[in-house]
Amino acid sequence: METRPLKIGITCFPLIGGSGILATALGAELATRGHTVHFFSYAKPVRLDLSTPRIFFHEVAVGESSLFPCPDYTLPLAVKMAEIGRAQGLDVFHVHYAVPHAIAAFLATEMIGERAPKIVTTLHGTDTTLLGPNPQYRAAIEHALNHSDAVTTVSESLRRQTQEMFQLAREIQVVPNFFTPTPPTKSRAEIRRELGISDNEFLVVHMSNLRPVKRIDLLLRVIAASSRRDRIRLLVLAGGPFSPYESLLDELKLRQQVIVREQAATVEDYLPAADAGLYTSEKESFGLSILETMFFGKPVVAFRIGGIPEVVGDAAYLHEFEDIAGMASSLDALVDSPDTARQLGERGRARAEQYFSAAHIVPRYEAVYREVIR
Ligand code: GMT
């Protein structure tokens, strides 16, 4: 198999969300391994460092025309991907999400014609769980998947759901997500001091974009149900507005317990201060935030849904969806026994390093690329 460095186009969403974060980290890892990576998005992905050698970013302006009923992104994206794909002789378009990215990649390769880049589509969840059942999108997603040269999902659970949802005449490979923690810039004590957390308080962290699927209502109810609630503080690192949950804070009398930091891009600056992670999503194809929490050796409490069991194995406390009392008693157990918390956290860290490090996962994507261009 040839081993020359590849030219890879990565198309992703730029916001704080697992898929964009994963795509950005993947691009950075690929570049350090000698490949050239061209990012396409409507804004610079939040964690993208443009000073990294061999990384380029192509901003795509959303199309506005008085002829259209609403702005259009897919066609300008396809045009930009075709232009750069042709000019740079890209080998692969690795698109994160079928809608609209794989559709744009399909159009771009049609425009380029012969020698067009191969298409690798990675599904992160929503294409299958939210858009798949929607008849306005389903056939387009199916078409984009069937016309990709390879399709990957981030968990076995999502692979199964995708096969059930669509008529696919193709294999799907599972390539799980990875994470590389960067060294924190502040000590645990410093961060706790800044957050106003005292030594005998137990800091629970939750990181997400707060979409409805993250079930922030349940998150707050678990804290409220804990018999150790007076010793618990909850830090929400929010990739979206917290305002819809303010009234619930008052209803549950949790205002003193909850600290919210909106748009916190660098989780490393907070995770060392935490004692546990709490995740209450009703759907989660992987749970990159959970993996990030594990990498910092913090025990995780979550629901047994989607891809979460594949990520945590036996290194977390998992409960049936909506078992608030069960989750609260797991939190209590961690508050009461720092040794248990430490051991569970260390087991999670070991599992994260063993199965979900860049060294383990990035070569699997490289193998997918080599396979499709072979
Ligand atoms: O979960 C979100 O709201 C964001 C979304 C995204 O695209 O960034 O996350 C999805 O992709 C992540 C990275 O693969 C996964 O860790 C998340 O589990 C997945 N979200 C869902 O399936 C709801």
PDB file of all heavy atoms in Angstrom, residues 13 16-20 22 97 123-126 129 154 177 209 211 213-214 283-289, ligand 1:
ATOM      1  N   PHE A  13     -18.815  21.231  10.716  1.00  0.00           N
ATOM      2  CA  PHE A  13     -19.432  22.408  11.329  1.00  0.00           C
ATOM      3  C   PHE A  13     -18.405  23.057  12.255  1.00  0.00           C
ATOM      4  O   PHE A  13     -17.618  22.359  12.892  1.00  0.00           O
ATOM      5  CB  PHE A  13     -20.700  22.028  12.100  1.00  0.00           C
ATOM      6  CG  PHE A  13     -21.840  21.656  11.193  1.00  0.00           C
ATOM      7  CD1 PHE A  13     -22.411  20.389  11.240  1.00  0.00           C
ATOM      8  CD2 PHE A  13     -22.323  22.561  10.265  1.00  0.00           C
ATOM      9  CE1 PHE A  13     -23.447  20.050  10.388  1.00  0.00           C
ATOM     10  CE2 PHE A  13     -23.360  22.234   9.406  1.00  0.00           C
ATOM     11  CZ  PHE A  13     -23.917  20.974   9.468  1.00  0.00           C
ATOM     12  N   ILE A  16     -18.996  24.802  18.685  1.00  0.00           N
ATOM     13  CA  ILE A  16     -18.649  23.906  19.782  1.00  0.00           C
ATOM     14  C   ILE A  16     -19.643  22.753  19.741  1.00  0.00           C
ATOM     15  O   ILE A  16     -20.800  22.898  20.088  1.00  0.00           O
ATOM     16  CB  ILE A  16     -18.723  24.619  21.145  1.00  0.00           C
ATOM     17  CG1 ILE A  16     -17.752  25.790  21.157  1.00  0.00           C
ATOM     18  CG2 ILE A  16     -18.418  23.652  22.280  1.00  0.00           C
ATOM     19  CD1 ILE A  16     -17.733  26.565  22.447  1.00  0.00           C
ATOM     20  N   GLY A  17     -19.195  21.628  19.292  1.00  0.00           N
ATOM     21  CA  GLY A  17     -20.024  20.432  19.160  1.00  0.00           C
ATOM     22  C   GLY A  17     -19.047  19.329  18.834  1.00  0.00           C
ATOM     23  O   GLY A  17     -18.014  19.579  18.219  1.00  0.00           O
ATOM     24  N   GLY A  18     -19.368  18.116  19.270  1.00  0.00           N
ATOM     25  CA  GLY A  18     -18.410  17.026  19.158  1.00  0.00           C
ATOM     26  C   GLY A  18     -17.863  16.811  17.757  1.00  0.00           C
ATOM     27  O   GLY A  18     -16.662  16.583  17.586  1.00  0.00           O
ATOM     28  N   SER A  19     -18.740  16.897  16.742  1.00  0.00           N
ATOM     29  CA  SER A  19     -18.264  16.538  15.397  1.00  0.00           C
ATOM     30  C   SER A  19     -17.223  17.528  14.893  1.00  0.00           C
ATOM     31  O   SER A  19     -16.208  17.136  14.307  1.00  0.00           O
ATOM     32  CB  SER A  19     -19.439  16.469  14.431  1.00  0.00           C
ATOM     33  OG  SER A  19     -20.040  17.735  14.311  1.00  0.00           O
ATOM     34  N   GLY A  20     -17.461  18.827  15.118  1.00  0.00           N
ATOM     35  CA  GLY A  20     -16.497  19.841  14.664  1.00  0.00           C
ATOM     36  C   GLY A  20     -15.193  19.734  15.440  1.00  0.00           C
ATOM     37  O   GLY A  20     -14.097  19.897  14.884  1.00  0.00           O
ATOM     38  N   LEU A  22     -14.015  16.997  16.858  1.00  0.00           N
ATOM     39  CA  LEU A  22     -13.333  15.775  16.414  1.00  0.00           C
ATOM     40  C   LEU A  22     -12.656  16.027  15.055  1.00  0.00           C
ATOM     41  O   LEU A  22     -11.493  15.683  14.852  1.00  0.00           O
ATOM     42  CB  LEU A  22     -14.385  14.665  16.331  1.00  0.00           C
ATOM     43  CG  LEU A  22     -13.947  13.236  16.017  1.00  0.00           C
ATOM     44  CD1 LEU A  22     -13.789  12.957  14.553  1.00  0.00           C
ATOM     45  CD2 LEU A  22     -12.667  12.821  16.767  1.00  0.00           C
ATOM     46  N   TYR A  97     -20.876  14.616   8.632  1.00  0.00           N
ATOM     47  CA  TYR A  97     -22.325  14.799   8.419  1.00  0.00           C
ATOM     48  C   TYR A  97     -22.659  14.614   6.936  1.00  0.00           C
ATOM     49  O   TYR A  97     -21.962  15.124   6.064  1.00  0.00           O
ATOM     50  CB  TYR A  97     -22.837  16.180   8.847  1.00  0.00           C
ATOM     51  CG  TYR A  97     -23.175  16.244  10.318  1.00  0.00           C
ATOM     52  CD1 TYR A  97     -22.294  16.814  11.203  1.00  0.00           C
ATOM     53  CD2 TYR A  97     -24.357  15.699  10.790  1.00  0.00           C
ATOM     54  CE1 TYR A  97     -22.578  16.846  12.553  1.00  0.00           C
ATOM     55  CE2 TYR A  97     -24.648  15.740  12.140  1.00  0.00           C
ATOM     56  CZ  TYR A  97     -23.755  16.308  13.026  1.00  0.00           C
ATOM     57  OH  TYR A  97     -24.027  16.343  14.361  1.00  0.00           O
ATOM     58  N   LEU A 123     -20.625   9.750   9.914  1.00  0.00           N
ATOM     59  CA  LEU A 123     -21.898  10.127  10.541  1.00  0.00           C
ATOM     60  C   LEU A 123     -21.680  10.287  12.034  1.00  0.00           C
ATOM     61  O   LEU A 123     -21.037   9.441  12.668  1.00  0.00           O
ATOM     62  CB  LEU A 123     -22.949   9.049  10.281  1.00  0.00           C
ATOM     63  CG  LEU A 123     -23.277   8.792   8.808  1.00  0.00           C
ATOM     64  CD1 LEU A 123     -24.316   7.681   8.691  1.00  0.00           C
ATOM     65  CD2 LEU A 123     -23.793  10.060   8.132  1.00  0.00           C
ATOM     66  N   HIS A 124     -22.229  11.366  12.583  1.00  0.00           N
ATOM     67  CA  HIS A 124     -22.069  11.635  14.015  1.00  0.00           C
ATOM     68  C   HIS A 124     -23.365  11.463  14.778  1.00  0.00           C
ATOM     69  O   HIS A 124     -23.381  11.554  15.995  1.00  0.00           O
ATOM     70  CB  HIS A 124     -21.527  13.051  14.222  1.00  0.00           C
ATOM     71  CG  HIS A 124     -20.093  13.175  13.809  1.00  0.00           C
ATOM     72  ND1 HIS A 124     -19.049  12.981  14.673  1.00  0.00           N
ATOM     73  CD2 HIS A 124     -19.542  13.436  12.604  1.00  0.00           C
ATOM     74  CE1 HIS A 124     -17.899  13.142  14.033  1.00  0.00           C
ATOM     75  NE2 HIS A 124     -18.171  13.412  12.777  1.00  0.00           N
ATOM     76  N   GLY A 125     -24.470  11.282  14.083  1.00  0.00           N
ATOM     77  CA  GLY A 125     -25.719  11.034  14.806  1.00  0.00           C
ATOM     78  C   GLY A 125     -26.944  11.607  14.126  1.00  0.00           C
ATOM     79  O   GLY A 125     -27.825  10.868  13.677  1.00  0.00           O
ATOM     80  N   THR A 126     -26.963  12.927  14.016  1.00  0.00           N
ATOM     81  CA  THR A 126     -28.193  13.613  13.614  1.00  0.00           C
ATOM     82  C   THR A 126     -28.739  13.164  12.249  1.00  0.00           C
ATOM     83  O   THR A 126     -29.955  13.085  12.067  1.00  0.00           O
ATOM     84  CB  THR A 126     -27.913  15.129  13.582  1.00  0.00           C
ATOM     85  OG1 THR A 126     -27.305  15.450  14.813  1.00  0.00           O
ATOM     86  CG2 THR A 126     -29.168  15.923  13.433  1.00  0.00           C
ATOM     87  N   THR A 129     -30.521   9.982  13.322  1.00  0.00           N
ATOM     88  CA  THR A 129     -31.549  10.008  14.371  1.00  0.00           C
ATOM     89  C   THR A 129     -32.601  11.081  14.152  1.00  0.00           C
ATOM     90  O   THR A 129     -33.770  10.879  14.425  1.00  0.00           O
ATOM     91  CB  THR A 129     -30.887  10.225  15.743  1.00  0.00           C
ATOM     92  OG1 THR A 129     -30.097  11.415  15.697  1.00  0.00           O
ATOM     93  CG2 THR A 129     -29.995   9.062  16.120  1.00  0.00           C
ATOM     94  N   VAL A 154     -19.410   6.779  14.389  1.00  0.00           N
ATOM     95  CA  VAL A 154     -18.548   6.939  15.559  1.00  0.00           C
ATOM     96  C   VAL A 154     -18.818   5.898  16.646  1.00  0.00           C
ATOM     97  O   VAL A 154     -18.118   5.882  17.652  1.00  0.00           O
ATOM     98  CB  VAL A 154     -18.643   8.375  16.141  1.00  0.00           C
ATOM     99  CG1 VAL A 154     -18.124   9.385  15.142  1.00  0.00           C
ATOM    100  CG2 VAL A 154     -20.072   8.698  16.564  1.00  0.00           C
ATOM    101  N   ASN A 177     -14.485   7.999  18.120  1.00  0.00           N
ATOM    102  CA  ASN A 177     -13.828   9.302  18.307  1.00  0.00           C
ATOM    103  C   ASN A 177     -12.588   9.155  19.182  1.00  0.00           C
ATOM    104  O   ASN A 177     -12.422   8.163  19.899  1.00  0.00           O
ATOM    105  CB  ASN A 177     -14.797  10.277  18.973  1.00  0.00           C
ATOM    106  CG  ASN A 177     -15.911  10.680  18.032  1.00  0.00           C
ATOM    107  OD1 ASN A 177     -15.722  10.703  16.825  1.00  0.00           O
ATOM    108  ND2 ASN A 177     -17.073  10.986  18.572  1.00  0.00           N
ATOM    109  N   ASN A 209     -23.657  21.306  24.302  1.00  0.00           N
ATOM    110  CA  ASN A 209     -24.187  22.502  23.640  1.00  0.00           C
ATOM    111  C   ASN A 209     -25.608  22.833  24.116  1.00  0.00           C
ATOM    112  O   ASN A 209     -26.245  23.728  23.562  1.00  0.00           O
ATOM    113  CB  ASN A 209     -24.150  22.323  22.118  1.00  0.00           C
ATOM    114  CG  ASN A 209     -24.810  21.030  21.708  1.00  0.00           C
ATOM    115  OD1 ASN A 209     -25.604  20.466  22.467  1.00  0.00           O
ATOM    116  ND2 ASN A 209     -24.513  20.545  20.514  1.00  0.00           N
ATOM    117  N   ARG A 211     -28.368  21.471  23.665  1.00  0.00           N
ATOM    118  CA  ARG A 211     -29.530  21.226  22.792  1.00  0.00           C
ATOM    119  C   ARG A 211     -30.566  20.442  23.587  1.00  0.00           C
ATOM    120  O   ARG A 211     -30.226  19.751  24.565  1.00  0.00           O
ATOM    121  CB  ARG A 211     -29.097  20.394  21.581  1.00  0.00           C
ATOM    122  CG  ARG A 211     -28.334  21.195  20.556  1.00  0.00           C
ATOM    123  CD  ARG A 211     -28.283  20.459  19.234  1.00  0.00           C
ATOM    124  NE  ARG A 211     -27.708  19.141  19.305  1.00  0.00           N
ATOM    125  CZ  ARG A 211     -28.228  18.069  18.735  1.00  0.00           C
ATOM    126  NH1 ARG A 211     -29.375  18.148  18.081  1.00  0.00           N
ATOM    127  NH2 ARG A 211     -27.613  16.898  18.802  1.00  0.00           N
ATOM    128  N   VAL A 213     -31.849  17.685  23.278  1.00  0.00           N
ATOM    129  CA  VAL A 213     -31.517  16.273  23.434  1.00  0.00           C
ATOM    130  C   VAL A 213     -30.586  16.011  24.622  1.00  0.00           C
ATOM    131  O   VAL A 213     -30.511  14.895  25.139  1.00  0.00           O
ATOM    132  CB  VAL A 213     -30.911  15.768  22.085  1.00  0.00           C
ATOM    133  CG1 VAL A 213     -29.473  16.227  21.925  1.00  0.00           C
ATOM    134  CG2 VAL A 213     -31.026  14.299  21.916  1.00  0.00           C
ATOM    135  N   LYS A 214     -29.927  17.064  25.115  1.00  0.00           N
ATOM    136  CA  LYS A 214     -29.000  16.895  26.252  1.00  0.00           C
ATOM    137  C   LYS A 214     -29.739  16.811  27.582  1.00  0.00           C
ATOM    138  O   LYS A 214     -29.140  16.513  28.608  1.00  0.00           O
ATOM    139  CB  LYS A 214     -27.977  18.050  26.302  1.00  0.00           C
ATOM    140  CG  LYS A 214     -27.191  18.229  25.016  1.00  0.00           C
ATOM    141  CD  LYS A 214     -26.330  17.036  24.695  1.00  0.00           C
ATOM    142  CE  LYS A 214     -25.739  17.162  23.305  1.00  0.00           C
ATOM    143  NZ  LYS A 214     -24.954  16.023  22.872  1.00  0.00           N
ATOM    144  N   LYS A 283     -30.276  11.101  23.716  1.00  0.00           N
ATOM    145  CA  LYS A 283     -29.646  10.478  22.542  1.00  0.00           C
ATOM    146  C   LYS A 283     -28.197  10.904  22.539  1.00  0.00           C
ATOM    147  O   LYS A 283     -27.887  12.075  22.798  1.00  0.00           O
ATOM    148  CB  LYS A 283     -30.289  10.987  21.246  1.00  0.00           C
ATOM    149  CG  LYS A 283     -31.629  10.428  20.926  1.00  0.00           C
ATOM    150  CD  LYS A 283     -31.946  10.653  19.436  1.00  0.00           C
ATOM    151  CE  LYS A 283     -33.238   9.971  19.046  1.00  0.00           C
ATOM    152  NZ  LYS A 283     -34.429  10.680  19.554  1.00  0.00           N
ATOM    153  N   GLU A 284     -27.312   9.984  22.223  1.00  0.00           N
ATOM    154  CA  GLU A 284     -25.885  10.316  22.169  1.00  0.00           C
ATOM    155  C   GLU A 284     -25.217   9.205  21.385  1.00  0.00           C
ATOM    156  O   GLU A 284     -25.181   8.061  21.826  1.00  0.00           O
ATOM    157  CB  GLU A 284     -25.326  10.375  23.599  1.00  0.00           C
ATOM    158  CG  GLU A 284     -24.116  11.241  23.785  1.00  0.00           C
ATOM    159  CD  GLU A 284     -24.390  12.723  23.578  1.00  0.00           C
ATOM    160  OE1 GLU A 284     -24.936  13.371  24.472  1.00  0.00           O
ATOM    161  OE2 GLU A 284     -24.029  13.223  22.492  1.00  0.00           O
ATOM    162  N   SER A 285     -24.739   9.520  20.196  1.00  0.00           N
ATOM    163  CA  SER A 285     -24.157   8.435  19.406  1.00  0.00           C
ATOM    164  C   SER A 285     -22.796   8.043  19.942  1.00  0.00           C
ATOM    165  O   SER A 285     -22.344   6.916  19.760  1.00  0.00           O
ATOM    166  CB  SER A 285     -24.059   8.847  17.948  1.00  0.00           C
ATOM    167  OG  SER A 285     -23.209   9.949  17.841  1.00  0.00           O
ATOM    168  N   PHE A 286     -22.100   8.948  20.597  1.00  0.00           N
ATOM    169  CA  PHE A 286     -20.795   8.640  21.184  1.00  0.00           C
ATOM    170  C   PHE A 286     -20.696   9.295  22.556  1.00  0.00           C
ATOM    171  O   PHE A 286     -20.654   8.621  23.578  1.00  0.00           O
ATOM    172  CB  PHE A 286     -19.672   9.122  20.246  1.00  0.00           C
ATOM    173  CG  PHE A 286     -18.301   8.754  20.723  1.00  0.00           C
ATOM    174  CD1 PHE A 286     -17.695   7.563  20.329  1.00  0.00           C
ATOM    175  CD2 PHE A 286     -17.598   9.595  21.573  1.00  0.00           C
ATOM    176  CE1 PHE A 286     -16.434   7.214  20.798  1.00  0.00           C
ATOM    177  CE2 PHE A 286     -16.334   9.252  22.039  1.00  0.00           C
ATOM    178  CZ  PHE A 286     -15.751   8.063  21.651  1.00  0.00           C
ATOM    179  N   GLY A 287     -20.644  10.644  22.553  1.00  0.00           N
ATOM    180  CA  GLY A 287     -20.492  11.362  23.825  1.00  0.00           C
ATOM    181  C   GLY A 287     -19.054  11.812  24.008  1.00  0.00           C
ATOM    182  O   GLY A 287     -18.377  11.392  24.939  1.00  0.00           O
ATOM    183  N   LEU A 288     -18.607  12.697  23.107  1.00  0.00           N
ATOM    184  CA  LEU A 288     -17.208  13.137  23.167  1.00  0.00           C
ATOM    185  C   LEU A 288     -16.888  13.818  24.495  1.00  0.00           C
ATOM    186  O   LEU A 288     -15.783  13.673  25.027  1.00  0.00           O
ATOM    187  CB  LEU A 288     -16.918  14.082  21.987  1.00  0.00           C
ATOM    188  CG  LEU A 288     -15.458  14.362  21.706  1.00  0.00           C
ATOM    189  CD1 LEU A 288     -14.661  13.095  21.421  1.00  0.00           C
ATOM    190  CD2 LEU A 288     -15.306  15.330  20.536  1.00  0.00           C
ATOM    191  N   SER A 289     -17.845  14.547  25.061  1.00  0.00           N
ATOM    192  CA  SER A 289     -17.608  15.209  26.350  1.00  0.00           C
ATOM    193  C   SER A 289     -17.334  14.188  27.444  1.00  0.00           C
ATOM    194  O   SER A 289     -16.540  14.429  28.355  1.00  0.00           O
ATOM    195  CB  SER A 289     -18.824  16.022  26.781  1.00  0.00           C
ATOM    196  OG  SER A 289     -19.198  16.890  25.776  1.00  0.00           O
TER     197      SER A 289
HETATM  198  O1  GMT B   1     -24.523  16.201  20.371  1.00  0.00           O
HETATM  199  C1  GMT B   1     -24.559  17.287  19.815  1.00  0.00           C
HETATM  200  O2  GMT B   1     -25.456  18.041  20.041  1.00  0.00           O
HETATM  201  C2  GMT B   1     -23.504  17.718  18.858  1.00  0.00           C
HETATM  202  C3  GMT B   1     -23.182  16.655  17.861  1.00  0.00           C
HETATM  203  C4  GMT B   1     -22.167  17.184  16.892  1.00  0.00           C
HETATM  204  O3  GMT B   1     -22.354  16.917  15.735  1.00  0.00           O
HETATM  205  O4  GMT B   1     -21.200  17.799  17.232  1.00  0.00           O
HETATM  206  O5  GMT B   1     -22.675  15.513  18.539  1.00  0.00           O
HETATM  207  C5  GMT B   1     -22.695  14.310  17.845  1.00  0.00           C
HETATM  208  O6  GMT B   1     -21.361  14.024  17.417  1.00  0.00           O
HETATM  209  C6  GMT B   1     -20.417  13.843  18.480  1.00  0.00           C
HETATM  210  C7  GMT B   1     -19.063  13.560  17.872  1.00  0.00           C
HETATM  211  O7  GMT B   1     -19.054  12.374  17.146  1.00  0.00           O
HETATM  212  C8  GMT B   1     -20.876  12.699  19.392  1.00  0.00           C
HETATM  213  O8  GMT B   1     -19.947  12.573  20.465  1.00  0.00           O
HETATM  214  C9  GMT B   1     -22.263  13.016  19.956  1.00  0.00           C
HETATM  215  O9  GMT B   1     -22.693  11.919  20.723  1.00  0.00           O
HETATM  216  C10 GMT B   1     -23.233  13.251  18.801  1.00  0.00           C
HETATM  217  N1  GMT B   1     -24.508  13.721  19.337  1.00  0.00           N
HETATM  218  C11 GMT B   1     -25.609  12.971  19.292  1.00  0.00           C
HETATM  219  O10 GMT B   1     -25.662  11.866  18.831  1.00  0.00           O
HETATM  220  C12 GMT B   1     -26.810  13.611  19.906  1.00  0.00           C
END
